[in-house]
Amino acid sequence: MSIPTPVDPPQLPPSPAFAHGMLVPPGPLLFVGGQNGVDADGTLLEGLRAQTEQALRNVLAVLAEAGTGPEHVARMSIYLAPGIDPMEAYAASAAVWGQRRTAVTVLTVAPAKPGALVEIEAIATLP
């Protein structure tokens, strides 16, 4: 087993979008620091959809550089600027992240980077 496995107790309501827990195999872990919706030039993209998609592409780039992929992500933290509807952010993530289920925490916080609407971090196993 090298891929994290969802843990969904039957007494908790099921979710198609996230797992209640993830069982992680022993081995090295990669901690992906918070990624904003900035492109390779450091330009912050405009709007929630563009920023969310770019932040996830940035997470995927870090995973690939470390020799792993999205199927090995056990946990993600998603930080949204105040006033952002989490359902809108989930919809924006589908184009890049798809239907991959992982343990997820979503919080509303004031962004450290002016204009940032979303920041995403992840924890992944290495195959």
Side-chain angles (χ1 to χ4, degrees), residues 1 12 15 17 23 26 30 33 37 40 44 48 51 60 67 71 73-74 77-78 81 85 89 91 101 104 123 125:
M1 176 176 93
L12 297 177
S15 171
L23 184 61
L30 170 66
L44 183 64
L48 179 63
Q51 286 189 25
L60 292 172
E71 69 278 9
V73 171
S77 296
I78 302 172
D85 178 0
R101 292 176 69 237
V104 174
I123 300 172
T125 60

Side-chain angles (χ1 to χ4, degrees), residues 82-100:
I84 299 295
D85 178 0
M87 297 311 288
E88 185 181 353
Y90 294 146
S93 71
V96 176
W97 198 253
Q99 299 302 312
R100 294 181 185 95

